[in-house]
Amino acid sequence: MQNKIFNGTLILILAFGIVLRFYNLFSIPFTYDEFSAIFRTNFSNFSDLIKYGVKVDGHPAGIQVFLFYWIRLFGVNEWIVKFPFLLFGVFSIYLTYLNGRIWLNNTAAFLASAFIATLQYTVIYSQIARPYVSGLFFVLAMFYYWSLIVKGENKKEWSVYFLYVLFTSLCLYNHYFSFLQVSIIGVYGLLIIPKERRVGYFIANAIALLLFTPHLGIFLNHLSIGGVGGWLGKPNWNFFIHYLLYAFGYSTILFLFVIAVFFYGIVKNRNNEKEKLVMFSVFALLPFIIGFVYSVLVNPVLQYSVLIFSFPFLLYFLFANVDELKPTIRFILVSFVLIINTLVLIFVRKHYEIFYKSGLEHIVSDAKIIKDYKGFYLIDLHPGIARYYFKKLDIDSTMFINLRNLKTRCEFEKICKENLKQGGIYIGCCSEIEPEYLNLLTSYYHRVVWQKNYHGATTYFLDTSRVEEKVISILNFEDRIPNEWTKVNNDYIIKETLNPINKVYNITENVEWGPTFCSQFRIPKEFRNGFIDVSIKVKCSDEEKLDEIILVSEIEGFHISNWRGRSAKDFSCIVGENGWINIYNTAKIPELKILNKKVKLKIYLWNKGNQMFLIDDLKIKIRKGNPIIYGLLEEV
């Protein structure tokens, strides 16, 4: 009976893991990262693959080479590309159990594998064809054979050493953080392995390193790059806290359960597993510490994804002092974890709703929603991804204009003006779109008819109907100057020469800082991931110095500071009535992560070139964004 319950527990965990990963297999979309990897397999020979597909990326060659041959053999359909990684995810569940049983007990092993089976953190990376779940599998496999060597439980010693070397080498070729993870494990092994096995262990590790020597040239090239600091910011001091919240699905129940189990085990078995706690804490925390220090001092590399290789060791650390429970109680406890995690995955994280609705695909496909529209469809999307979906969805690309093919913002504004006769306009964009584009667009098309939100992308249809805007402040020099504005000298308010009924503000050569708005307020919940749009009209006779007229926005609060400046030259190619130029500046609220926190907003004009010019109609407004644009990483 006990064996049946034991086998039933393991089968149940694996069944949950398989179903959650393979659910609706043919609808799992490619991510941006996967497209990048696929595009870097389009080479006719191996030499070009390494030169143009691996060296430029910053990852070891292993997975890229695998994808190169896998796609050649089986094609580029989503489910085909992802299939090996889904299997890696399932195998990782079983290996998590095996390793836990070797070092701890069945209860701790089942708990750890149940979390690996059902957390969104491990489910989603099993569904993405990148070197994360593959690295998780390789690290767990390496650790399994490492454990047999260190503990001396290997009956077929030569085969265990062979597989240890194999999986260690795969970790080295998979990802530099999986390289780091097995390096830490390997060095730690030298400290605890019995003397009689130390020579064989040293030789095995030396062979694994020797197998990496063909990759040394690529490694040194990647080391010279340093990291991905071009788009990845340095981690904050609270990065690890946010990582834990993310890893456990932002679920209070899960978090409290894990903490309760950890402290209960510590109190009850205070001295039993001290050495194992030290070992697992080293394996779990040292990769984070090294990654954090490197990211702060050298170049940012630390992301949630790269800590997946150390995540099983964090679970082992948390459950190391759990007592071995009776099979029936253990089955109930594991079932509770599986059910709660699955409910969190589906209903709290909304995994299948958010992840399976590809924002990249909907940027193209949502254009078909609009009936009787003959205008332009504006999209902000990697050209290769756009072509992929045009072909897949059988959509004529003739009327689509990709913003990434435009050279200036002025070209964008010309398109907006040309399309006005249609009465509306469609735009689908990724999260990294230049934020001023939408600010500029809403100055022509004022009403959002509909907005569809996806992870990583948003689509809109706007028309020219006038609507009430959420205005923070307006400075037009016709009405009373609002209290939030300073550095406004009434002597500089004059009548416009070409339009005497209109009053404007004259900035002189001795005025470096123009009118300044400063106020503290809270970002309302409904504006999560929204924007603060600022615009101003400028008239300057010296076109050579337009780049020295800068509209600045500053937002400070909750240990965050955001400075953004935009010059008149950025928008100078389209001159409005009577020679006025509109400058746009947009601050993205999501970067600040300060919902319901009081922030300080400061808007001002910087006369960097100490010249004379006129300004008018300075407007500050707040605009709703996409609440789930970072929904796979942040709390939903």
Side-chain angles (χ1 to χ4, degrees):
M1 181 64 180
Q2 287 188 356
N3 285 337
K4 288 184 178 179
I5 296 174
F6 175 87
N7 293 332
T9 304
L10 185 57
I11 291 170
L12 183 66
I13 292 171
L14 290 171
F16 266 81
I18 291 168
V19 171
L20 294 178
R21 284 159 176 75
F22 281 86
Y23 172 76
N24 208 357
L25 173 63
F26 303 112
S27 298
I28 308 176
F30 281 138
T31 62
Y32 201 102
D33 206 14
E34 287 173 298
F35 273 117
S36 173
I38 291 167
F39 295 153
R40 286 182 286 106
T41 63
N42 295 327
F43 303 106
S44 59
N45 59 76
F46 186 82
S47 177
D48 284 349
L49 170 70
I50 298 300
K51 186 176 181 180
Y52 303 111
V54 173
K55 286 187 175 181
V56 299
D57 178 47
H59 292 100
I63 294 302
Q64 195 62 28
V65 171
F66 169 77
L67 287 173
F68 176 72
Y69 289 109
W70 182 265
I71 290 171
R72 275 193 166 192
L73 289 172
F74 301 108
V76 77
N77 285 341
E78 284 98 330
W79 75 271
I80 290 176
V81 175
K82 292 173 180 287
F83 190 76
F85 298 86
L86 290 161
L87 292 180
F88 286 141
V90 174
F91 296 153
S92 296
I93 300 169
Y94 184 62
L95 281 171
T96 301
Y97 165 73
L98 287 182
N99 289 325
R101 188 180 66 177
I102 291 174
W103 287 97
L104 304 172
N105 58 47
N106 283 314
T107 300
F110 280 136
L111 283 173
S113 57
F115 275 94
I116 293 292
T118 51
L119 284 174
Q120 186 189 32
Y121 185 27
T122 45
V123 169
I124 194 169
Y125 283 111
S126 300
Q127 297 177 320
I128 297 174
R130 297 302 293 130
Y132 303 113
V133 75
S134 56
L136 176 64
F137 169 70
F138 296 148
V139 167
L140 287 168
M142 173 270 186
F143 183 65
Y144 175 74
Y145 292 105
W146 178 88
S147 302
L148 296 182
I149 294 171
V150 169
K151 282 180 165 284
E153 297 177 3
N154 44 321
K155 295 179 181 178
K156 296 182 179 180
E157 191 165 327
W158 69 269
S159 61
V160 171
Y161 275 103
F162 171 78
L163 291 169
Y164 170 73
V165 170
L166 172 65
F167 285 110
T168 300
S169 298
L170 288 172
C171 289
L172 306 186
Y173 278 96
N174 177 81
H175 194 286
Y176 291 124
F177 265 83
S178 60
F179 188 136
L180 174 63
Q181 186 70 52
V182 298
S183 298
I184 293 169
I185 296 171
V187 171
Y188 195 89
L190 289 172
L191 303 177
I192 63 172
I193 194 169
K195 288 183 179 180
E196 62 271 17
R197 291 194 294 277
R198 197 166 290 170
V199 173
Y201 179 76
F202 183 84
I203 292 172
N205 283 287
I207 293 172
L209 286 173
L210 192 63
L211 291 173
F212 188 71
T213 52
H215 197 279
L216 276 179
I218 298 171
F219 170 71
L220 293 174
N221 176 71
H222 289 165
L223 200 61
S224 68
I225 296 172
V228 288
W231 59 268
L232 182 65
K234 292 182 179 181
N236 295 320
W237 62 269
N238 57 357
F239 176 92
F240 194 71
I241 296 172
H242 284 289
Y243 166 69
L244 291 177
L245 291 171
Y246 163 75
F248 291 102
Y250 295 96
S251 169
T252 304
I253 295 175
L254 282 181
F255 213 73
L256 291 176
F257 171 81
V258 171
I259 295 300
V261 170
F262 173 71
F263 282 107
Y264 176 77
I266 289 289
V267 171
K268 192 172 182 183
N269 303 300
R270 191 167 299 172
N271 298 312
N272 286 1
E273 304 293 346
K274 192 173 181 180
E275 291 181 359
K276 294 175 185 177
L277 279 173
V278 171
M279 182 180 76
F280 289 130
S281 65
V282 169
F283 295 170
L285 298 178
L286 197 52
F288 159 72
I289 294 170
I290 293 172
F292 184 88
V293 172
Y294 185 89
S295 296
V296 171
L297 298 181
V298 182
N299 212 333
V301 294
L302 191 62
Q303 305 173 71
Y304 297 158
S305 57
V306 302
L307 295 181
I308 197 171
F309 314 124
S310 58
F311 185 64
F313 304 106
L314 177 62
L315 295 175
Y316 294 145
F317 170 77
L318 293 170
F319 302 138
N321 280 296
V322 173
D323 286 333
E324 183 69 285
L325 302 175
K326 293 180 179 179
T328 304
I329 297 175
R330 186 172 62 207
F331 180 83
I332 293 171
L333 183 63
V334 169
S335 298
F336 169 80
V337 170
L338 293 172
I339 291 169
I340 293 298
N341 278 355
T342 301
L343 292 175
V344 169
L345 177 76
I346 297 171
F347 298 108
V348 177
R349 299 300 298 151
K350 299 182 180 180
H351 176 74
Y352 300 104
E353 179 183 339
I354 295 176
F355 182 53
Y356 279 43
K357 289 183 179 178
S358 168
L360 302 176
E361 180 172 344
H362 280 279
I363 286 175
V364 174
S365 65
D366 281 358
K368 298 193 298 184
I369 297 173
I370 311 166
K371 304 297 181 184
D372 302 321
Y373 172 69
K374 297 180 179 179
F376 296 121
Y377 299 98
L378 306 182
I379 60 173
D380 174 67
L381 191 59
H382 185 287
I385 300 175
R387 287 191 296 271
Y388 176 88
Y389 284 119
F390 287 141
K391 183 178 179 180
K392 177 183 176 180
L393 303 171
D394 192 25
I395 292 178
D396 181 12
S397 62
T398 307
M399 293 302 292
F400 284 80
I401 296 177
N402 197 331
L403 304 185
R404 301 197 182 188
N405 295 329
L406 304 183
K407 295 179 180 178
T408 66
R409 297 183 187 92
C410 297
E411 291 181 57
F412 175 76
E413 187 165 7
K414 286 178 181 177
I415 292 167
C416 293
K417 294 180 77 171
E418 287 175 17
N419 202 72
L420 279 171
K421 58 188 176 184
Q422 300 297 333
I425 197 165
Y426 170 83
I427 183 169
C429 51
C430 293
S431 57
E432 62 267 26
I433 185 175
E434 186 77 26
E436 279 78 22
Y437 275 145
L438 287 164
N439 186 354
L440 193 158
L441 189 67
T442 55
S443 68
Y444 291 99
Y445 304 87
H446 312 290
R447 183 173 73 110
V448 178
V449 179
W450 53 255
Q451 173 179 334
K452 297 189 179 297
N453 301 319
Y454 308 97
H455 169 71
T458 316
T459 62
Y460 309 83
F461 185 69
L462 304 94
D463 68 17
T464 53
S465 303
R466 287 283 179 180
V467 292
E468 185 178 349
E469 297 174 315
K470 184 72 174 179
V471 175
I472 296 174
S473 184
I474 294 177
L475 183 65
N476 59 16
F477 309 109
E478 300 285 343
D479 305 318
R480 184 182 65 85
I481 306 299
N483 294 331
E484 298 87 1
W485 289 91
T486 58
K487 298 184 180 179
V488 180
N489 188 334
N490 288 328
D491 294 338
Y492 291 172
I493 300 175
I494 62 175
K495 291 181 179 181
E496 185 183 355
T497 304
L498 298 178
N499 184 15
I501 63 172
N502 183 46
K503 291 182 179 180
V504 297
Y505 194 82
N506 184 30
I507 302 286
T508 60
E509 295 95 331
N510 60 344
V511 176
E512 183 176 2
W513 309 105
T516 300
F517 172 90
C518 189
S519 179
Q520 286 192 330
F521 64 101
R522 295 183 186 274
I523 303 294
K525 281 187 176 181
E526 62 268 27
F527 289 94
R528 174 178 183 170
N529 293 329
F531 304 87
I532 293 175
D533 290 332
V534 187
S535 60
I536 188 174
K537 291 167 65 176
V538 171
K539 183 191 285 188
C540 179
S541 58
D542 189 349
E543 294 184 2
E544 297 297 322
K545 290 190 175 183
L546 287 176
D547 59 334
E548 295 182 333
I549 302 174
I550 302 171
L551 178 62
V552 178
S553 64
E554 291 184 10
I555 307 179
E556 297 178 357
F558 201 55
H559 311 294
I560 300 290
S561 180
N562 184 297
W563 187 98
R564 188 174 182 85
R566 287 292 176 264
S567 74
K569 188 174 181 64
D570 293 335
F571 305 93
S572 61
C573 59
I574 293 188
V575 180
E577 187 179 355
N578 295 333
W580 289 97
I581 296 170
N582 288 309
I583 310 177
Y584 301 91
N585 184 313
T586 297
K588 295 173 70 175
I589 294 172
E591 295 175 356
L592 308 175
K593 299 179 181 178
I594 47 175
L595 283 178
N596 290 323
K597 305 291 183 182
K598 213 164 192 179
V599 299
K600 179 182 177 182
L601 174 63
K602 190 175 181 180
I603 308 294
Y604 56 94
L605 199 68
W606 181 15
N607 184 10
K608 185 179 178 182
N610 297 109
Q611 58 188 305
M612 181 180 292
F613 56 92
L614 302 177
I615 63 170
D616 196 9
D617 294 338
L618 209 161
K619 181 189 289 187
I620 308 167
K621 59 185 181 180
I622 188 168
R623 172 166 51 87
K624 287 185 179 181
N626 178 349
I628 62 169
I629 199 158
Y630 306 114
L632 293 178
L633 294 174
E634 296 182 350
E635 188 174 3
V636 178

